[in-house]
Amino acid sequence: MSIRTICCIGAGYVGGPTMAVIADRCPGIQVTVVDLNQARIDAWNDPDLSKLPVYEPGLDAVVGRCRGRNLHFSTAVEPAIAAADMVFLSVNTPTKTKGVGAGQASDLRWIEASARQVAACAQGHTIVVEKSTLPVRTAETVQAILSAAQGDGASGGSPKTFAVLSNPEFLAEGTAIPDLEQPDRVLIGGDDPAAIEALAGVYGQWVPNDRILRTNLWSSELSKLTANAFLAQRISSINSIAALCEATGADVQEVAHAIGADSRLGSKFLKAGPGFGGSCFQKDILNLVYLCGHYGLHEVAAYWQSVVELNGWQQHRIARLVVQRLFGTVTGKRLAVLGFAFKADTNDTREAPAIRICRDLLEEGAQLAIYDPKVPASQMGNDLGHVGGVDAWQAVGSPLAAVQGADAVLILTEWLCFASLDWSQLAAQMRKPAWLFDARSIVDLQAAKSAGLNVWRVGMG
Ligand SMILES: NC(=O)c1ccc[n+]([C@@H]2O[C@H](COP(=O)([O-])OP(=O)(O)OC[C@H]3O[C@@H](n4cnc5c(N)ncnc54)[C@H](O)[C@@H]3O)[C@@H](O)[C@H]2O)c1
């Protein structure tokens, strides 16, 4: 079966960029991305490509090439499903906040709702692709919902039939476009060979066949959780060693370099920092923990739980050491925070380390001046609320504005622009003795020291 029309439910950080690249690489396929969120769809349709709701380097050019040609963004969910040969489910799957499994299990209400919409609106044969990250065996639920509608031909069209595939997304925010254009691998899980080959045929238009892996449904679903758990585990591992380096006089950059030279370990993802953030790592590990508990594997659950705990500990540790270095109190002191996004090259702040660190400092009474090149003040407001009082923090327009009268500057996101800051200019605006806390190992420490700043860098003993 060759695919001519695709509908993607969910126009978020995954649905938007993924479908833009599919449309770009497959000019013969009409791709419609639908979402219930009108403001988000309006932003995807904004003639000004700098206003897209997702910031990713290169995304504006891809959308600019395809939008209106074979890439469409709409809130009209039902007709887009009805017209589609293939429907991607790319909706949010956050951690449940209440009920059974609260704090660990994924909240599947949006997956269920979108599966029900597909069941109701699809016509003829439809391949349904799980793009969201899901607990193992969710495809069974999706299949059950679709099966209940199977055979219906009430609208006068041919009877409905469905095939369900798992196709988890491995893109990383900040590098989504190159990750989608040259993926390390594409994973397709399923038990319907024709459906698998139809999806492989879409990716095959730009991805070499040996990079398209075919597995059973459950392996595919579990591989995504496992990949994120292993990646997050490396961050927690190196951050645990960073703390030990600070205590012993070792330097975590030297340690990471030395161990990364071992080809069994590899050099990637060994950067110490303020801990992982983003919408996925913590959620997916907690989901894994929940699954392990469900199957009675309590030691396995505890093992992965510790990866999340170490991450939270690292963030609180950084906030605590800032307070300690500033003579044990930050009450009433102005602190400049550079970077709020959870990583560079994204406007996403979900689970950003900056949130926990800023909250801790606000609770200690600090006054924060926060600068991020892509995160708007309104988003910072959503994340920080009124911790520390209504006027305890402000968003500012530049690093220079942030440091005015500050006792310290904290680097919490590795935006490249922070690597070339003019420390003599910045230090001149700060109250002495002044500190630089570089949680991302990105600034020129010698320049900062020469400008008279006291310096702490993560993992430098
Ligand atoms: N963000 C990442 O880097 C990343 C990477 C890989 C996988 N994932 C996974 O992909 C999935 C989506 O993540 P995201 O970051 O794009 O989420 P997101 O919150 O940015 O986007 C999800 C979108 O789905 C929409 N939606 C929800 N229910 C809907 C419905 N019934 N009909 C129409 N629209 C609906 C929401 O309005 C929202 O805009 C999650 O399962 C996530 O774990 C995310």
Side-chain angles (χ1 to χ4, degrees):
M1 174 184 182
S2 130
I3 302 300
R4 285 182 318 199
T5 44
I6 286 177
C7 165
C8 174
I9 305 182
Y13 283 84
V14 168
T18 308
M19 293 303 126
V21 169
I22 289 182
D24 197 28
R25 298 303 177 120
C26 308
I29 301 180
Q30 285 294 321
V31 180
T32 303
V33 192
V34 295
D35 205 295
L36 300 171
N37 183 333
Q38 182 73 54
R40 212 164 207 188
I41 290 298
D42 289 347
W44 280 113
N45 283 323
D46 199 306
D48 179 352
L49 290 167
S50 72
K51 300 216 171 105
L52 297 180
V54 169
Y55 173 70
E56 278 291 339
L59 175 63
D60 49 355
V62 178
V63 172
R65 278 198 294 276
C66 313
R67 200 175 55 187
R69 181 191 77 185
N70 66 329
L71 176 66
H72 315 277
F73 295 94
S74 169
T75 51
V77 178
E78 295 179 5
I81 294 173
D85 300 324
M86 181 174 271
V87 178
F88 286 79
L89 309 182
S90 188
V91 298
N92 36 323
T93 51
T95 305
K96 273 183 92 170
T97 53
K98 50 188 175 189
V100 177
Q104 287 188 336
S106 286
D107 191 337
L108 297 179
R109 76 176 92 164
W110 293 277
I111 273 288
E112 179 175 339
S114 51
R116 285 184 187 281
Q117 269 172 311
V118 177
C121 305
Q123 294 188 0
H125 185 62
T126 308
I127 299 173
V128 178
V129 183
E130 297 176 345
K131 181 54 98 180
S132 298
T133 304
L134 296 166
V136 185
R137 304 202 80 91
T138 305
E140 239 163 25
T141 308
V142 172
Q143 188 82 62
I145 291 168
L146 298 174
S147 298
Q150 197 129 306
D152 283 1
S155 56
S158 49
K160 293 180 194 195
T161 51
F162 298 99
V164 178
L165 299 175
S166 160
N167 172 225
E169 184 47 60
F170 292 100
L171 69 79
E173 286 181 31
T175 53
I177 299 304
D179 291 347
L180 289 162
E181 289 180 337
Q182 290 116 30
D184 290 343
R185 78 316 208 173
V186 165
L187 182 57
I188 303 176
D191 51 20
D192 177 333
I196 293 173
E197 291 319 309
L199 182 54
V202 173
Y203 286 110
Q205 296 188 42
W206 80 96
V207 179
N209 192 41
D210 60 0
R211 294 202 179 183
I212 303 178
L213 312 183
R214 293 137 168 107
T215 66
N216 76 31
L217 273 168
W218 324 125
S219 301
S220 174
E221 288 178 340
L222 185 57
S223 297
K224 175 62 191 174
L225 295 185
T226 306
N228 275 354
F230 272 57
L231 288 168
Q233 178 203 43
R234 272 177 76 101
I235 303 276
S236 280
S237 295
I238 199 68
N239 282 342
S240 73
I241 299 303
L244 191 57
C245 288
E246 289 166 33
T248 56
D251 182 338
V252 77
Q253 288 192 348
E254 293 177 353
V255 174
H257 184 67
I259 66 166
D262 186 325
S263 58
R264 292 169 302 174
L265 292 173
S267 58
K268 291 187 177 162
F269 250 67
L270 282 179
K271 191 131 199 273
F276 54 79
S279 66
C280 294
F281 282 1
Q282 176 173 309
K283 155 177 91 71
D284 293 349
I285 297 179
L286 292 174
N287 194 344
L288 196 62
V289 168
Y290 182 72
L291 273 174
C292 294
H294 174 79
Y295 289 106
L297 298 168
H298 301 296
E299 288 74 12
V300 183
Y303 174 72
W304 288 109
Q305 177 77 35
S306 73
V307 171
V308 175
E309 281 166 10
L310 196 289
N311 195 54
W313 174 80
Q314 172 78 340
Q315 291 162 10
H316 292 307
R317 181 177 86 84
I318 290 174
R320 271 200 309 274
L321 70 84
V322 169
V323 176
Q324 278 160 9
R325 298 291 203 283
L326 297 178
F327 308 116
T329 177
V330 290
T331 304
K333 290 180 182 168
R334 180 174 165 111
L335 308 180
V337 172
L338 302 188
F340 199 80
F342 86 91
K343 66 191 288 197
D345 289 325
T346 179
N347 58 347
D348 195 349
T349 65
R350 290 177 288 183
E351 305 295 338
I355 298 174
R356 200 172 270 157
I357 295 171
C358 287
R359 280 175 164 264
D360 282 4
L361 294 170
L362 289 167
E363 274 171 8
E364 290 282 343
Q367 298 280 315
L368 303 183
I370 309 173
Y371 168 71
D372 188 285
K374 288 291 171 193
V375 177
S378 57
Q379 185 56 47
M380 293 175 193
N382 291 341
D383 293 329
L384 296 177
H386 293 316
V387 185
V390 270
D391 298 323
W393 66 273
Q394 56 170 308
V396 295
S398 67
L400 192 58
V403 299
Q404 299 298 321
D407 286 54
V409 52
L410 285 70
I411 312 283
L412 298 185
T413 310
E414 71 282 23
W415 286 102
L416 200 53
C417 56
F418 299 151
S420 53
L421 291 170
D422 178 345
W423 287 104
S424 56
Q425 184 195 31
L426 296 179
Q429 308 301 318
M430 298 174 71
R431 188 168 80 152
K432 308 295 178 317
W435 276 87
L436 162 65
F437 297 93
D438 182 7
R440 294 289 190 171
S441 306
I442 187 161
V443 306
D444 179 346
L445 290 192
Q446 277 318 317
K449 282 184 189 165
S450 304
L453 295 177
N454 297 306
V455 169
W456 171 88
R457 197 201 71 207
V458 65
M460 185 177 69

